[in-house]
Amino acid sequence: MLMSSGVSDAFLAVSASASSRSPTPPALATGRRLFSALLPPSSSLSSSNRHFGPRRRLGRRSSTMAARAAAQRLENVDELIDSVETFLFDCDGVIWKGDKLIDGVPGTLDMLRSKGKRLVFVTNNSTKSRKQYGKKFETLGLSVTEEEIFASSFAAAAYLKSIDFPKDKKVYVIGEDGILKELELAGYQYLGGPVGAVVVGFDRYFNYYKVQYGTLCVRENPGCLFIATNRDAVTHLTDAQEWAGGGSMVGAICGSTQREPLVVGKPSTFMMDYLANKFGILKSQICMVGDRLDTDILFGQNGGCKTLLVLSGVTSLQMLQSPSNSIQPDFYTNKISDLVTLKAAAV
């Protein structure tokens, strides 16, 4: 489909009113076509039929999957700790809420490190790069290296590298600084065209222009990838309440393009596979600790790991035990500091 100069001019006029706080999108030259490649899309298949390699799952449970046993309240801490060599921690709702550290976190991490456990922090929040998250950990008084942080912003760049995404193609980003910085570090350009991928993450400056431009990129560029960092319904910007998450931005592009994205964040197995390969660890030797059933716990289950749900974030005990909930972790507890307090009580 072609964009006539009239349509282009009208589109430019509308876009001029976009928020000045939004990252500047690629310029659209008046009277010129938006894209250089104007053949019909190379595939009419929904991108939900694409995989991160040979038949990799995208993180959605099959309706035919056998029901799991009800989660057990964590009691034997030593048995869990001794059974794994790596703990993966979600951040929002597990380590912190907003900018407030959850009680007991420093002592818990210190205890696990003293036992020789590898700690990795896995977050779907794409607003920061690994380096920026490192600064947040430092601000909260936690000593965490960049190599121990795996954010969905990094996952988006890592996925593009894993498929040998051409460096001469650009990436249009609907998201914040974290994605842009990780793309830069990976050697990808995110301004201009032709566009070969649209990456959508959490964006506090989301607007109609971004929806429209992202839609045009996906629909009019043959083979253009539609990548989502995550589909979280809500996120924690503060410790007081939940806010609309990156899934709301992704949903807008899904609606306008009638396409499903490739999700690189939890519960996709891409992040788990990358971590297992990077550190050379067996997935059976990993325990995933998180506060969300449909991302954190499902992420661990899809990867074949042990799973521990903490009730310090999104999921309540009532939600976990609801008859309508089909996602059951191996164990659940109130917060990660229970790993210390329950251990001490058992002595």
Side-chain angles (χ1 to χ4, degrees):
M1 174 176 137
L2 299 177
M3 279 189 70
S4 68
S5 60
V7 174
S8 297
D9 292 341
F11 184 54
L12 281 169
V14 172
S15 68
S17 64
S19 169
S20 62
R21 300 178 66 188
S22 304
T24 305
L28 299 181
T30 304
R32 299 183 64 184
R33 296 190 188 351
L34 182 59
F35 300 114
S36 60
L38 297 171
L39 296 173
S42 58
S43 173
S44 61
L45 293 175
S46 165
S47 61
S48 62
N49 290 325
R50 301 174 186 169
H51 302 271
F52 297 123
R55 303 300 299 170
R56 286 184 184 166
R57 294 174 55 194
L58 294 182
R60 295 190 181 275
R61 281 162 61 98
S62 168
S63 60
T64 60
M65 183 178 290
R68 295 177 65 93
Q72 302 176 46
R73 178 176 285 278
L74 181 64
E75 294 179 351
N76 194 332
V77 174
D78 283 332
E79 183 178 342
L80 174 61
I81 294 176
D82 293 342
S83 69
V84 297
E85 63 181 53
T86 300
F87 281 86
L88 304 185
F89 290 101
D90 177 45
C91 294
D92 295 320
V94 178
I95 305 299
W96 59 64
K97 272 193 172 182
D99 291 322
K100 183 178 179 181
L101 190 66
I102 293 175
D103 292 342
V105 167
T108 304
L109 301 184
D110 288 344
M111 181 272 290
L112 292 173
R113 289 190 192 279
S114 72
K115 289 183 169 294
K117 304 303 176 182
R118 178 186 288 108
L119 309 183
V120 181
F121 301 87
V122 186
T123 176
N124 266 357
N125 190 324
S126 62
T127 58
K128 293 180 175 63
S129 65
R130 289 169 299 164
K131 185 174 182 178
Q132 290 171 318
Y133 270 114
K135 291 180 179 178
K136 177 166 184 174
F137 277 102
E138 183 180 356
T139 300
L140 294 173
L142 300 175
S143 179
V144 175
T145 68
E146 189 175 311
E147 288 297 304
E148 294 175 315
I149 301 169
F150 200 95
S152 62
S153 52
F154 173 74
Y159 174 70
L160 290 174
K161 291 186 73 172
S162 75
I163 62 170
D164 295 323
F165 184 77
K167 294 293 180 71
D168 61 338
K169 286 193 174 183
K170 309 300 190 298
V171 181
Y172 181 61
V173 176
I174 298 175
E176 298 190 17
D177 196 44
I179 301 174
L180 304 183
K181 288 188 179 301
E182 293 292 358
L183 288 174
E184 285 178 351
L185 289 172
Y188 294 113
Q189 303 177 69
Y190 52 83
L191 294 177
V195 176
V198 173
V199 176
V200 184
F202 180 71
D203 189 341
R204 281 167 287 194
Y205 311 118
F206 192 63
N207 57 40
Y208 181 79
Y209 173 78
K210 293 182 179 182
V211 174
Q212 174 63 357
Y213 195 87
T215 299
L216 291 174
C217 289
V218 172
R219 295 182 65 176
E220 298 195 14
N221 264 348
C224 183
L225 299 175
F226 173 21
I227 298 171
T229 61
N230 69 86
R231 301 188 80 162
D232 292 4
V234 297
T235 190
H236 290 107
L237 297 180
T238 68
D239 63 343
Q241 61 190 8
E242 294 176 348
W243 299 69
S248 59
M249 293 84 192
V250 175
I253 305 300
C254 288
S256 60
T257 63
Q258 295 297 291
R259 290 265 299 274
E260 287 295 309
L262 293 158
V263 182
V264 295
K266 297 174 291 186
S268 161
T269 57
F270 173 73
M271 295 176 81
M272 185 69 73
D273 293 341
Y274 185 96
L275 289 169
N277 292 332
K278 177 181 176 63
F279 293 111
I281 52 178
L282 296 174
K283 296 176 185 177
S284 60
Q285 288 291 304
I286 298 174
C287 178
M288 176 65 209
V289 184
D291 69 314
R292 297 173 186 258
L293 294 167
D294 60 346
T295 55
D296 302 325
I297 302 306
L298 194 54
F299 173 63
Q301 291 177 352
N302 287 344
C305 308
K306 291 183 174 63
T307 54
L308 172 62
L309 175 76
V310 290
L311 305 176
S312 53
V314 170
T315 305
S316 65
L317 183 60
Q318 182 180 7
M319 293 166 63
L320 171 64
Q321 297 179 339
S322 169
S324 62
N325 171 44
S326 62
I327 304 173
Q328 294 291 327
D330 295 311
F331 305 100
Y332 71 92
T333 194
N334 292 325
K335 52 188 178 180
I336 67 168
S337 60
D338 289 347
L339 292 172
V340 174
T341 56
L342 290 175
K343 182 178 175 63
V347 175

